[in-house]
C-alpha cells in the first residue's frame, strides 16, 4: 500500500470540494475589487456635468513628467500639452494642470468627450472645457455656452435635428461638415443659434426656420440625411 492509499476514503472524497471552493473564492476576489467605486484622491475631482462621469487632477496639480501620449500645442510663445482631456503648462521643469485659453486648437479629443447640443450646434465637453468642432478633425477651446434663455421660442428649445451620414463619413468629417454648414446657413439667414444661446442675439422664429432649412440643404448636399 502506498502512502497515498493510507488516506481515509472520506478525506479523499472531500478534497476536491475544498479545492473547488478555494478556486471560486480566488476568482471572486478580482470581481469584488472591480465592483468597488473609484476612490477620489485629494488632488482629483469628479466631473459629473452633462453626465460626463470622469475623474481628473485638479487645476494647479503639479506633475513631474507628462503622459507618454501628451500632444504639444503651441500658441505664440506659450506651450501647452494635452492628454486624456487634461491640459498642462510647463513651470520650473515640471508640468502644472491648467485651464486652456479660449481659441486654442487641438487635433482630436479623447473618445469619452461628451457631446452637448445647444440649439442646432454641437459642442464637446471634457474636464470643464468646451470645444467647438472644426474641419479636418480639429477642435477649438471656446467659452462655456450659456443655457438657452427662457425667452427663446418653443420651436428653438424643443426642435432637435438628427444628422445621419449616407456615405460612410467619419465622425470627424461629419463634425467638420456640420460646422461648415452652420457657417453657411448663418450667412444665408442672418441667424446664429450660438449667439442666441449666449444671449447676444434675440431669438427670431422666422430667421431660425430659414437657418434650419439652409443647414439641412447644405448637409443633404454633402451626403447626409437630416430629420
Amino acid at each position: 500500500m502506498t502512502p497515498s492509499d493510507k488516506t481515509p476514503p472520506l478525506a479523499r472524497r472531500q478534497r476536491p470540494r475544498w479545492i473547488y471552493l478555494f478556486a471560486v473564492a480566488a476568482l471572486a476576489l478580482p470581481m469584488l475589487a472591480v465592483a468597488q467605486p473609484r476612490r477620489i484622491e485629494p488632488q482629483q475631482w469628479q466631473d459629473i456635468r452633462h453626465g460626463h462621469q470622469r475623474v481628473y487632477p485638479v487645476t494647479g496639480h503639479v506633475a513631474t513628467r507628462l503622459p507618454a501620449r501628451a500632444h504639444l500645442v503651441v500658441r505664440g510663445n506659450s506651450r501647452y500639452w494635452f492628454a486624456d482631456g487634461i491640459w498642462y503648462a510647463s513651470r520650473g521643469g515640471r508640468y502644472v494642470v491648467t485651464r486652456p485659453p479660449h481659441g486654442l486648437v487641438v487635433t482630436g479629443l479623447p473618445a469619452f468627450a461628451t457631446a452637448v447640443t445647444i440649439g442646432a450646434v454641437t459642442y464637446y465637453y471634457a474636464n470643464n472645457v468646451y470645444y467647438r468642432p472644426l474641419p479636418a478633425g480639429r477642435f477649438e477651446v471656446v467659452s462655456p455656452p450659456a443655457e438657452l434663455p427662457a425667452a427663446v421660442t418653443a420651436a428653438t428649445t424643443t426642435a432637435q435635428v438628427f444628422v445621419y451620414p449616407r456615405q460612410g463619413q467619419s465622425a470627424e468629417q461629419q463634425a467638420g461638415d456640420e460646422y461648415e454648414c452652420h457657417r453657411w446657413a448663418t450667412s444665408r439667414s442672418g441667424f446664429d443659434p450660438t449667439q442666441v444661446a449666449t444671449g447676444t442675439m434675440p431669438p427670431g422664429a422666422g430667421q431660425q426656420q430659414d437657418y434650419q432649412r439652409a443647414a439641412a440643404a447644405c448637409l443633404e448636399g454633402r451626403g447626409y440625411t437630416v430629420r
Side-chain angles (χ1 to χ4, degrees), residues 84-160:
D84 296 330
I86 306 167
W87 287 92
Y88 300 86
S90 61
R91 178 190 294 173
R94 297 187 177 185
Y95 303 92
V96 59
V97 175
T98 188
R99 294 273 298 168
H102 298 160
L104 205 62
V105 176
V106 64
T107 301
L109 292 178
F112 53 76
T114 301
V116 181
T117 301
I118 297 180
V121 178
T122 298
Y123 300 87
Y124 290 87
Y125 174 86
N127 194 16
N128 207 25
V129 179
Y130 291 85
Y131 301 86
R132 181 181 63 174
L134 300 176
R138 298 175 302 147
F139 297 86
E140 179 185 6
V141 177
V142 296
S143 58
E147 298 296 333
L148 288 174
V152 177
T153 61
T156 303
T157 56
T158 60
Q160 189 171 13

Side-chain angles (χ1 to χ4, degrees), residues 1-100:
M1 179 179 297
T2 62
S4 60
D5 294 334
K6 296 180 181 180
T7 304
L10 181 59
R12 288 201 301 268
R13 288 196 301 269
Q14 290 179 341
R15 182 180 301 167
R17 180 181 301 174
W18 290 107
I19 294 176
Y20 172 76
L21 293 175
F22 178 80
V24 170
L27 291 173
L29 286 175
M31 296 174 64
L32 291 174
V34 171
Q36 296 299 319
R38 180 172 179 176
R39 179 181 177 182
I40 309 299
E41 301 295 337
Q43 293 298 316
Q44 293 179 331
W45 76 289
Q46 187 173 18
D47 187 357
I48 61 174
R49 294 196 68 182
H50 308 296
H52 193 60
Q53 300 294 343
R54 299 287 300 187
V55 174
Y56 299 98
V58 298
T59 301
H61 174 72
V62 178
T64 56
R65 60 182 180 179
L66 293 169
R69 52 188 170 275
H71 175 67
L72 174 63
V73 180
V74 179
R75 183 181 183 183
N77 295 326
S78 301
R79 294 160 61 90
Y80 301 89
W81 288 265
F82 182 69
D84 296 330
I86 306 167
W87 287 92
Y88 300 86
S90 61
R91 178 190 294 173
R94 297 187 177 185
Y95 303 92
V96 59
V97 175
T98 188
R99 294 273 298 168

